[in-house]
Amino acid sequence: MMMMSEGPVATPAGNITPEKKIHNNGNLQQLPSGSPAKAISPGVNRFAFTGQQWTSHVTGGINWYFYTLSDNSMDFSLADWTTTWQNQTEQEEFAATNHRTYSEEQQIIRLKSTKPFFTLLLPFFKGKDIYAAGVEKINGGQGFRVKLKNQELVISKSGYYMKDEKRFVMASWSKGSIESNGYGVSGGCAELENAGGKLIVHIHGNAGKRIMVLPFAVKPEGSPKEVVIKSSAAGSLLTIDYSGGSLDLASGEKGYKEYIFTIK
């Protein structure tokens, strides 16, 4: 993974400053040189990267944490690769924006494992670390729980959920299931949000039935034929037979179909 960072990287094996190598399309055509491989233990491991200075940003840019989660030990190494070549116009625009001579520098982290592993990137404004309380492995070891001041955020291999004082959001990005706080989503890519007395559902990806467990009763706005609701004293079982079609983009790209329900 390539990071737009600089300086030492805080790793489970201590601070490491990767050796800088430069490729300027001229007399310097160096290739990246990885630091000696270091081992990290099974479980949760954290790397802290210092983002490059962004002078036009109010905080000077961002820093970030990079977490790994694995059932077995892994090796890692770090490298640094820079180019100082660009056309004149780009160099001038870069200098005017960043108040320094043009260079594009990347720090590279390489991870080696014989088994699958899970990673998480958590960015924050410089000087405003909202993740100071830390990150831990969820029960079963299938994801992360991020500790925030007024929020609970869980990110797993099958989906995520977030809750605070005003809303609850849960999403699945696989055919597996994710469940918590009386909610559940399974059957494929789908997202639900409980906020302001409304339940908003976004579905995208492959065609098929999406099944959602809710801790309350709901009534759909309009009369969507593909929606089936079974209610009980414990809540609702919501099934949406999604046809897919061309609406197969990620939610952030607005390639989804939206359903709105009133919470009874």
Side-chain angles (χ1 to χ4, degrees):
M1 297 185 71
M2 297 182 179
M3 307 290 190
M4 300 298 287
S5 51
E6 61 187 6
V9 180
T11 82
N15 288 351
I16 296 176
T17 302
E19 181 182 2
K20 289 189 177 183
K21 296 292 185 177
I22 298 175
H23 193 293
N24 66 0
N25 206 36
N27 63 321
L28 286 174
Q29 297 190 24
Q30 300 170 341
L31 296 177
S33 177
S35 61
K38 300 285 186 180
I40 52 178
S41 302
V44 176
N45 286 279
R46 188 181 82 171
F47 297 79
F49 288 84
T50 301
Q52 296 172 21
Q53 286 294 319
W54 182 10
T55 57
S56 60
H57 191 274
V58 64
T59 68
I62 63 170
N63 297 334
W64 56 90
Y65 294 124
F66 174 65
Y67 283 88
T68 65
L69 174 59
S70 175
D71 293 332
N72 60 293
S73 60
M74 297 192 296
D75 290 341
F76 78 91
S77 68
L78 290 160
D80 189 301
W81 204 20
T82 301
T83 177
T84 58
W85 178 87
Q86 188 51 270
N87 64 67
Q88 188 65 32
T89 300
E90 296 285 351
Q91 290 192 44
E92 291 173 356
E93 290 176 347
F94 183 94
T97 301
N98 297 285
H99 303 157
R100 62 182 177 88
T101 302
Y102 173 83
S103 68
E104 183 175 335
E105 179 177 339
Q106 295 176 336
Q107 291 184 330
I108 305 167
I109 182 169
R110 292 180 170 89
L111 297 166
K112 182 180 179 180
S113 176
T114 59
K115 295 182 179 180
F117 56 91
F118 194 23
T119 62
L120 178 66
L121 278 169
L122 294 176
F124 55 92
F125 292 143
K126 290 182 181 293
K128 298 182 179 181
D129 183 358
I130 62 174
Y131 307 110
V135 174
E136 62 186 16
K137 179 173 63 175
I138 63 174
N139 293 338
Q142 298 300 302
F144 298 95
R145 175 175 283 104
V146 182
K147 299 178 181 179
L148 299 170
K149 184 178 180 180
N150 297 313
Q151 293 179 332
E152 180 182 5
L153 174 62
V154 169
I155 303 174
S156 74
K157 295 178 180 179
S158 57
Y160 75 89
Y161 75 81
M162 184 282 297
K163 70 173 183 177
D164 58 22
E165 298 173 351
K166 296 182 179 180
R167 62 179 181 152
F168 181 91
V169 179
M170 174 177 280
S172 171
W173 43 58
S174 72
K175 290 188 176 180
S177 63
I178 180 169
E179 301 175 358
S180 185
N181 293 271
Y183 296 81
V185 179
S186 61
C189 296
E191 180 183 70
L192 62 82
E193 178 180 0
N194 175 1
K198 299 286 186 180
L199 179 76
I200 301 172
V201 174
H202 291 160
I203 299 180
H204 55 98
N206 296 334
K209 291 183 178 180
R210 306 299 196 269
I211 300 172
M212 301 184 182
V213 176
L214 307 170
F216 42 70
V218 294
K219 179 181 178 180
E221 292 188 358
S223 303
K225 296 180 179 180
E226 65 270 30
V227 173
V228 176
I229 302 172
K230 294 182 179 180
S231 297
S232 68
S236 300
L237 181 65
L238 173 62
T239 302
I240 302 176
D241 193 358
Y242 177 60
S243 60
S246 62
L247 303 179
D248 58 356
L249 301 175
S251 289
E253 297 174 304
K254 298 183 179 179
Y256 54 80
K257 188 167 184 179
E258 182 176 82
Y259 299 85
I260 299 178
F261 302 82
T262 299
I263 299 175
K264 295 183 178 180

